[in-house]
């Protein structure tokens, strides 16, 4: 299924299998998937257990900032919500794969198992589905197709992915705006682990990342500041800056997990 992408740069091809969380995304077609759909699963977000960072769009900065640090990472300065301090550990999802209901789940995860992929042969986007997802089934509760037409569920999924793509592009424009204004600076964050007895270990670096510099923002030329204001960028800037106050929350959750694991290990009888 395709959606004309219009102008601008399309999203990078997503059929390579390299997209975070997706193992086998395939273009959704009547011929290949007419008998498939989704079934109810008790824990649809189990794939998030190993996600210590989740991409977010600029429209999500406000709500995500209430739960997580929102930082910019990598060469492209992709904004992500930080959900853990160690690779492969999400401090906001329990061992059964159930997200903490008091915290926001980003749209990047909520669109799963659907995703848009760009078609290298044309200026369009293809709706794909990860056929390895646990909720994708040949005995579905909700089918992908009804007769030879996409079901309402599939149409709604396409609309969700269309909106996500619009927000993804807006996010790329926001990051470019921050870069062009010279507001992003490199930062790092570390924490000192403690065992169940309170003994401190060696400091461990969590991340090197980019963040908006409050000093550089305050020193902006008034005309440039008004340009950001008129573009509607300032609420996202301030949400991002406030979100950095959440580093202690993530670190404390990681410390509790570590201490619990150590306490359980000390109580396990040696065979």
């Amino acid at each position: 299924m395709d959606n004309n992408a219009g102008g601008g740069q399309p999203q990078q091809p997503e059929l390579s299998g390299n997209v975070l969380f997706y193992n086998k995304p395939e273009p959704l077609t009547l011929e290949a998937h007419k008998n498939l759909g989704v079934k109810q699963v008790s824990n649809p977000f189990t794939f998030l257990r190993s996600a210590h960072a989740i991409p977010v769009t600029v429209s999500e900065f406000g709500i995500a900032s209430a739960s997580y640090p929102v930082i910019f990472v990598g060469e492209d300065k992709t904004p992500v919500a930080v959900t853990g301090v160690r690779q492969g550990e999400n401090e906001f999802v329990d061992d059964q794969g159930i997200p903490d209901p008091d915290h926001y789940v980003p749209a990047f995860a909520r669109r799963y198992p659907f995703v848009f992929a760009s078609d290298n042969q044309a200026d369009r986007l293809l709706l794909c589905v990860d056929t390895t997802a646990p909720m994708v089934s040949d005995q579905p509760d909700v089918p992908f197709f009804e007769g030879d037409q996409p079901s309402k569920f599939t149409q709604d999924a396409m609309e969700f992915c269309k909106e996500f793509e619009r927000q993804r592009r807006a996010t790329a424009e926001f990051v470019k705006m921050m870069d062009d204004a010279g507001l992003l600076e490199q930062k790092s964050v570390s924490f000192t682990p403690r065992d169940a007895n309170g003994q401190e270990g060696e400091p461990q670096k969590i991340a090197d990342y980019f963040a908006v510099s409050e000093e550089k923002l305050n020193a902006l030329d008034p005309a440039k500041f008004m340009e950001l204001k008129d573009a509607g960028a300032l609420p996202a800037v301030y949400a991002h800056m406030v979100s950095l106050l959440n580093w202690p929350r993530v670190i404390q959750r990681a410390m509790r997990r570590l201490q619990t694991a150590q306490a359980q290990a000390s109580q396990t009888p040696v065979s």
Side-chain angles (χ1 to χ4, degrees):
M1 299 182 65
D2 66 79
N3 170 60
N4 193 333
Q9 291 295 318
Q11 192 172 3
Q12 290 298 309
E14 296 197 334
L15 298 181
S16 65
N18 294 328
V19 183
L20 184 64
F21 306 142
Y22 293 80
N23 294 315
K24 193 180 178 184
E26 299 176 0
L28 186 62
T29 66
L30 179 64
E31 294 75 19
H33 306 110
K34 64 180 179 180
N35 295 321
L36 296 184
V38 294
K39 63 180 180 180
Q40 285 281 85
V41 293
S42 57
N43 302 342
F45 292 111
T46 53
F47 61 91
L48 285 180
R49 282 182 299 187
S50 60
H52 66 284
I54 305 170
V56 289
T57 62
V58 67
S59 64
E60 298 176 282
F61 280 22
I63 189 168
S65 70
S67 296
Y68 320 107
V70 175
I71 62 175
F72 301 87
V73 297
E75 187 176 333
D76 295 333
K77 300 182 176 71
T78 302
V80 299
V82 179
T83 54
V85 302
R86 290 187 179 84
Q87 192 85 16
E89 290 184 6
N90 187 332
E91 305 302 339
F92 296 83
V93 175
D94 68 18
D95 291 340
Q96 285 71 49
I98 299 175
D100 187 324
D102 294 329
H103 297 279
Y104 178 68
V105 177
F108 189 97
R110 286 185 285 115
R111 67 178 177 167
Y112 188 80
F114 295 100
V115 65
F116 267 148
S118 59
D119 181 354
N120 292 328
Q121 307 303 316
D123 185 20
R124 64 176 183 171
L125 294 171
L126 301 175
L127 183 67
C128 298
V129 63
D130 186 352
T131 54
T132 68
M135 67 282 294
V136 174
S137 172
D138 59 3
Q139 295 181 317
D141 297 319
V142 181
F144 290 146
F145 295 91
E146 292 176 347
D148 60 355
Q149 295 298 316
S151 66
K152 184 179 184 304
F153 174 80
T154 300
Q155 293 175 36
D156 289 345
M158 176 171 278
E159 288 304 313
F160 188 92
C161 287
K162 283 182 183 178
E163 178 58 25
F164 182 87
E165 174 64 13
R166 284 191 287 268
Q167 294 301 330
R168 186 196 65 80
R169 295 184 182 199
T171 302
E173 292 172 3
F174 173 82
V175 171
K176 184 177 185 302
M177 199 181 306
M178 297 298 103
D179 247 349
D180 290 348
L183 294 179
L184 294 176
E185 66 178 4
Q186 283 193 297
K187 292 190 175 184
S188 65
V189 62
S190 302
F191 81 107
T192 302
R194 290 182 177 84
D195 63 22
N197 297 318
Q199 291 292 111
E200 291 188 354
E202 289 295 318
Q204 298 179 15
K205 180 181 285 188
I206 298 172
D208 291 311
Y209 64 97
F210 294 93
V212 172
S213 165
E214 184 175 1
E215 182 180 352
K216 292 179 179 179
L217 180 65
N218 291 335
L220 268 185
D221 176 88
K224 188 65 177 179
F225 184 86
M226 288 305 298
E227 184 181 319
L228 297 182
K229 180 177 182 294
D230 292 343
L234 292 182
V237 169
Y238 293 133
H240 151 68
M241 293 169 69
V242 169
S243 79
L244 300 180
L245 299 175
N246 287 319
W247 277 119
R249 168 183 287 168
V250 183
I251 292 169
Q252 287 163 8
R253 282 178 170 241
M255 298 280 279
R256 286 197 296 269
R257 178 198 290 265
L258 179 62
Q259 290 168 1
T260 299
Q262 290 174 337
Q264 290 174 343
S266 68
Q267 294 169 6
T268 302
V270 178
S271 57

